Amino acid sequence: DVDLMDQCGKELAERFLNAKPSKILTIATTGLVIAIPMAKYLQVPLVYARKERSVVMADTFDAGYNSQTLGQDRQLLVSKDHIDEDDRVLVIDDFLSSGSSQEALLRIISEAGATAVGVGVLLEKEYEAGRVSLSGYGLPVESLVRIASVRDGVIQLLEEDGYDKM
């Protein structure tokens, strides 16, 4: 739903306004659904990491990660033309599970000499270690929906303070 993703992007963008990002970094194609509306609301360029080298990508930053979805090691590549040391980069993705893909993006930002300013996701699997694995970076981590558990086909959401007053 385009309107829903637009509203989600607006809400998540508002949470990072004070971080003053100059760019958003996400993973093609999965992270684009939330990163595009966020870039619109933050008025910053959007850069995406590819999982395979493109013909036009000569010089790249790259970092490996383990894809929980595919159950295998993958590589993320970002053209060196798209991130530089003056950038304040916000990492955006659709899911936070193990944190492996977000950590790969943070390594790319570090390799570029840029500054990471936060990690934002649409959905966080609270029952996995993603938030814990990112805690060592000292960055704000924001998620719109936190999933407490998935059992027998039932998704249990983590309710935040004030939820019952809405």
PDB file of all heavy atoms in Angstrom, residues 95 123-124 127 145-158:
ATOM      1  N   PHE A  95      13.570  -4.985   7.481  1.00  0.00           N
ATOM      2  CA  PHE A  95      13.539  -5.821   8.673  1.00  0.00           C
ATOM      3  C   PHE A  95      14.831  -5.702   9.463  1.00  0.00           C
ATOM      4  O   PHE A  95      15.903  -5.583   8.878  1.00  0.00           O
ATOM      5  CB  PHE A  95      13.390  -7.302   8.295  1.00  0.00           C
ATOM      6  CG  PHE A  95      11.983  -7.749   8.103  1.00  0.00           C
ATOM      7  CD1 PHE A  95      11.402  -7.715   6.845  1.00  0.00           C
ATOM      8  CD2 PHE A  95      11.232  -8.217   9.175  1.00  0.00           C
ATOM      9  CE1 PHE A  95      10.100  -8.146   6.654  1.00  0.00           C
ATOM     10  CE2 PHE A  95       9.928  -8.646   8.998  1.00  0.00           C
ATOM     11  CZ  PHE A  95       9.358  -8.610   7.732  1.00  0.00           C
ATOM     12  N   LEU A 123      10.166  -3.075  10.369  1.00  0.00           N
ATOM     13  CA  LEU A 123       9.784  -4.150  11.284  1.00  0.00           C
ATOM     14  C   LEU A 123      11.007  -4.708  11.992  1.00  0.00           C
ATOM     15  O   LEU A 123      12.021  -5.002  11.348  1.00  0.00           O
ATOM     16  CB  LEU A 123       9.116  -5.295  10.516  1.00  0.00           C
ATOM     17  CG  LEU A 123       7.823  -4.958   9.798  1.00  0.00           C
ATOM     18  CD1 LEU A 123       7.542  -5.977   8.710  1.00  0.00           C
ATOM     19  CD2 LEU A 123       6.674  -4.890  10.777  1.00  0.00           C
ATOM     20  N   GLU A 124      10.901  -4.886  13.292  1.00  0.00           N
ATOM     21  CA  GLU A 124      11.990  -5.463  14.071  1.00  0.00           C
ATOM     22  C   GLU A 124      11.517  -6.765  14.702  1.00  0.00           C
ATOM     23  O   GLU A 124      10.475  -6.801  15.364  1.00  0.00           O
ATOM     24  CB  GLU A 124      12.414  -4.499  15.174  1.00  0.00           C
ATOM     25  CG  GLU A 124      13.483  -5.041  16.078  1.00  0.00           C
ATOM     26  CD  GLU A 124      13.888  -4.076  17.181  1.00  0.00           C
ATOM     27  OE1 GLU A 124      13.417  -2.923  17.195  1.00  0.00           O
ATOM     28  OE2 GLU A 124      14.691  -4.492  18.035  1.00  0.00           O
ATOM     29  N   TYR A 127      12.566 -10.788  19.046  1.00  0.00           N
ATOM     30  CA  TYR A 127      13.032 -12.069  19.582  1.00  0.00           C
ATOM     31  C   TYR A 127      14.363 -12.513  18.986  1.00  0.00           C
ATOM     32  O   TYR A 127      14.900 -13.550  19.367  1.00  0.00           O
ATOM     33  CB  TYR A 127      11.965 -13.157  19.369  1.00  0.00           C
ATOM     34  CG  TYR A 127      11.517 -13.319  17.937  1.00  0.00           C
ATOM     35  CD1 TYR A 127      12.138 -14.233  17.090  1.00  0.00           C
ATOM     36  CD2 TYR A 127      10.481 -12.541  17.423  1.00  0.00           C
ATOM     37  CE1 TYR A 127      11.739 -14.379  15.778  1.00  0.00           C
ATOM     38  CE2 TYR A 127      10.070 -12.679  16.103  1.00  0.00           C
ATOM     39  CZ  TYR A 127      10.696 -13.585  15.291  1.00  0.00           C
ATOM     40  OH  TYR A 127      10.302 -13.712  13.980  1.00  0.00           O
ATOM     41  N   VAL A 145       7.479  -1.117  13.959  1.00  0.00           N
ATOM     42  CA  VAL A 145       6.741  -2.254  14.512  1.00  0.00           C
ATOM     43  C   VAL A 145       7.742  -3.226  15.097  1.00  0.00           C
ATOM     44  O   VAL A 145       8.716  -3.589  14.444  1.00  0.00           O
ATOM     45  CB  VAL A 145       5.900  -2.964  13.419  1.00  0.00           C
ATOM     46  CG1 VAL A 145       5.194  -4.185  13.991  1.00  0.00           C
ATOM     47  CG2 VAL A 145       4.914  -2.013  12.783  1.00  0.00           C
ATOM     48  N   ARG A 146       7.485  -3.650  16.346  1.00  0.00           N
ATOM     49  CA  ARG A 146       8.351  -4.613  17.007  1.00  0.00           C
ATOM     50  C   ARG A 146       7.568  -5.898  17.228  1.00  0.00           C
ATOM     51  O   ARG A 146       6.544  -5.898  17.904  1.00  0.00           O
ATOM     52  CB  ARG A 146       8.881  -4.033  18.312  1.00  0.00           C
ATOM     53  CG  ARG A 146       9.794  -2.831  18.027  1.00  0.00           C
ATOM     54  CD  ARG A 146      10.132  -2.049  19.252  1.00  0.00           C
ATOM     55  NE  ARG A 146      11.175  -2.727  20.001  1.00  0.00           N
ATOM     56  CZ  ARG A 146      11.618  -2.287  21.187  1.00  0.00           C
ATOM     57  NH1 ARG A 146      11.101  -1.219  21.728  1.00  0.00           N
ATOM     58  NH2 ARG A 146      12.557  -2.952  21.798  1.00  0.00           N
ATOM     59  N   ILE A 147       8.072  -6.961  16.637  1.00  0.00           N
ATOM     60  CA  ILE A 147       7.413  -8.259  16.723  1.00  0.00           C
ATOM     61  C   ILE A 147       8.009  -9.013  17.906  1.00  0.00           C
ATOM     62  O   ILE A 147       9.202  -9.296  17.931  1.00  0.00           O
ATOM     63  CB  ILE A 147       7.592  -9.057  15.415  1.00  0.00           C
ATOM     64  CG1 ILE A 147       7.017  -8.264  14.235  1.00  0.00           C
ATOM     65  CG2 ILE A 147       6.928 -10.431  15.542  1.00  0.00           C
ATOM     66  CD1 ILE A 147       7.376  -8.833  12.879  1.00  0.00           C
ATOM     67  N   ALA A 148       7.154  -9.339  18.895  1.00  0.00           N
ATOM     68  CA  ALA A 148       7.609 -10.039  20.095  1.00  0.00           C
ATOM     69  C   ALA A 148       7.842 -11.514  19.821  1.00  0.00           C
ATOM     70  O   ALA A 148       8.815 -12.096  20.298  1.00  0.00           O
ATOM     71  CB  ALA A 148       6.609  -9.857  21.229  1.00  0.00           C
ATOM     72  N   SER A 149       6.945 -12.123  19.027  1.00  0.00           N
ATOM     73  CA  SER A 149       7.095 -13.552  18.736  1.00  0.00           C
ATOM     74  C   SER A 149       6.223 -13.941  17.551  1.00  0.00           C
ATOM     75  O   SER A 149       5.286 -13.219  17.186  1.00  0.00           O
ATOM     76  CB  SER A 149       6.698 -14.407  19.950  1.00  0.00           C
ATOM     77  OG  SER A 149       5.311 -14.255  20.227  1.00  0.00           O
ATOM     78  N   VAL A 150       6.569 -15.077  16.979  1.00  0.00           N
ATOM     79  CA  VAL A 150       5.748 -15.707  15.942  1.00  0.00           C
ATOM     80  C   VAL A 150       5.645 -17.176  16.328  1.00  0.00           C
ATOM     81  O   VAL A 150       6.642 -17.892  16.334  1.00  0.00           O
ATOM     82  CB  VAL A 150       6.377 -15.554  14.534  1.00  0.00           C
ATOM     83  CG1 VAL A 150       5.512 -16.241  13.497  1.00  0.00           C
ATOM     84  CG2 VAL A 150       6.587 -14.091  14.189  1.00  0.00           C
ATOM     85  N   ARG A 151       4.427 -17.600  16.695  1.00  0.00           N
ATOM     86  CA  ARG A 151       4.217 -18.990  17.120  1.00  0.00           C
ATOM     87  C   ARG A 151       2.913 -19.505  16.539  1.00  0.00           C
ATOM     88  O   ARG A 151       1.886 -18.837  16.651  1.00  0.00           O
ATOM     89  CB  ARG A 151       4.141 -19.084  18.646  1.00  0.00           C
ATOM     90  CG  ARG A 151       5.462 -18.938  19.325  1.00  0.00           C
ATOM     91  CD  ARG A 151       5.365 -19.297  20.816  1.00  0.00           C
ATOM     92  NE  ARG A 151       6.522 -18.789  21.499  1.00  0.00           N
ATOM     93  CZ  ARG A 151       6.547 -17.636  22.181  1.00  0.00           C
ATOM     94  NH1 ARG A 151       5.488 -16.895  22.289  1.00  0.00           N
ATOM     95  NH2 ARG A 151       7.661 -17.247  22.762  1.00  0.00           N
ATOM     96  N   ASP A 152       2.969 -20.677  15.950  1.00  0.00           N
ATOM     97  CA  ASP A 152       1.768 -21.328  15.409  1.00  0.00           C
ATOM     98  C   ASP A 152       0.987 -20.413  14.472  1.00  0.00           C
ATOM     99  O   ASP A 152      -0.237 -20.355  14.519  1.00  0.00           O
ATOM    100  CB  ASP A 152       0.852 -21.812  16.554  1.00  0.00           C
ATOM    101  CG  ASP A 152       1.557 -22.800  17.470  1.00  0.00           C
ATOM    102  OD1 ASP A 152       2.340 -23.626  16.948  1.00  0.00           O
ATOM    103  OD2 ASP A 152       1.337 -22.744  18.694  1.00  0.00           O
ATOM    104  N   GLY A 153       1.712 -19.648  13.663  1.00  0.00           N
ATOM    105  CA  GLY A 153       1.082 -18.757  12.692  1.00  0.00           C
ATOM    106  C   GLY A 153       0.514 -17.481  13.277  1.00  0.00           C
ATOM    107  O   GLY A 153      -0.158 -16.714  12.586  1.00  0.00           O
ATOM    108  N   VAL A 154       0.778 -17.206  14.565  1.00  0.00           N
ATOM    109  CA  VAL A 154       0.273 -15.995  15.217  1.00  0.00           C
ATOM    110  C   VAL A 154       1.439 -15.047  15.475  1.00  0.00           C
ATOM    111  O   VAL A 154       2.427 -15.413  16.105  1.00  0.00           O
ATOM    112  CB  VAL A 154      -0.430 -16.339  16.555  1.00  0.00           C
ATOM    113  CG1 VAL A 154      -0.869 -15.072  17.276  1.00  0.00           C
ATOM    114  CG2 VAL A 154      -1.610 -17.265  16.311  1.00  0.00           C
ATOM    115  N   ILE A 155       1.290 -13.816  14.992  1.00  0.00           N
ATOM    116  CA  ILE A 155       2.303 -12.788  15.206  1.00  0.00           C
ATOM    117  C   ILE A 155       1.889 -11.956  16.414  1.00  0.00           C
ATOM    118  O   ILE A 155       0.803 -11.374  16.437  1.00  0.00           O
ATOM    119  CB  ILE A 155       2.441 -11.872  13.968  1.00  0.00           C
ATOM    120  CG1 ILE A 155       2.893 -12.688  12.757  1.00  0.00           C
ATOM    121  CG2 ILE A 155       3.411 -10.724  14.264  1.00  0.00           C
ATOM    122  CD1 ILE A 155       2.868 -11.912  11.455  1.00  0.00           C
ATOM    123  N   GLN A 156       2.752 -11.924  17.419  1.00  0.00           N
ATOM    124  CA  GLN A 156       2.495 -11.133  18.625  1.00  0.00           C
ATOM    125  C   GLN A 156       3.361  -9.879  18.563  1.00  0.00           C
ATOM    126  O   GLN A 156       4.581  -9.976  18.490  1.00  0.00           O
ATOM    127  CB  GLN A 156       2.848 -11.947  19.877  1.00  0.00           C
ATOM    128  CG  GLN A 156       2.633 -11.196  21.177  1.00  0.00           C
ATOM    129  CD  GLN A 156       1.165 -10.936  21.472  1.00  0.00           C
ATOM    130  OE1 GLN A 156       0.339 -11.814  21.315  1.00  0.00           O
ATOM    131  NE2 GLN A 156       0.853  -9.727  21.875  1.00  0.00           N
ATOM    132  N   LEU A 157       2.720  -8.713  18.577  1.00  0.00           N
ATOM    133  CA  LEU A 157       3.448  -7.454  18.537  1.00  0.00           C
ATOM    134  C   LEU A 157       3.786  -6.992  19.943  1.00  0.00           C
ATOM    135  O   LEU A 157       3.047  -7.259  20.891  1.00  0.00           O
ATOM    136  CB  LEU A 157       2.630  -6.381  17.834  1.00  0.00           C
ATOM    137  CG  LEU A 157       2.226  -6.681  16.391  1.00  0.00           C
ATOM    138  CD1 LEU A 157       1.416  -5.513  15.836  1.00  0.00           C
ATOM    139  CD2 LEU A 157       3.427  -6.963  15.521  1.00  0.00           C
ATOM    140  N   LEU A 158       4.901  -6.298  20.071  1.00  0.00           N
ATOM    141  CA  LEU A 158       5.292  -5.700  21.336  1.00  0.00           C
ATOM    142  C   LEU A 158       4.569  -4.369  21.435  1.00  0.00           C
ATOM    143  O   LEU A 158       4.745  -3.490  20.587  1.00  0.00           O
ATOM    144  CB  LEU A 158       6.815  -5.500  21.357  1.00  0.00           C
ATOM    145  CG  LEU A 158       7.391  -4.957  22.646  1.00  0.00           C
ATOM    146  CD1 LEU A 158       7.316  -6.034  23.728  1.00  0.00           C
ATOM    147  CD2 LEU A 158       8.837  -4.554  22.436  1.00  0.00           C
TER     148      LEU A 158
END
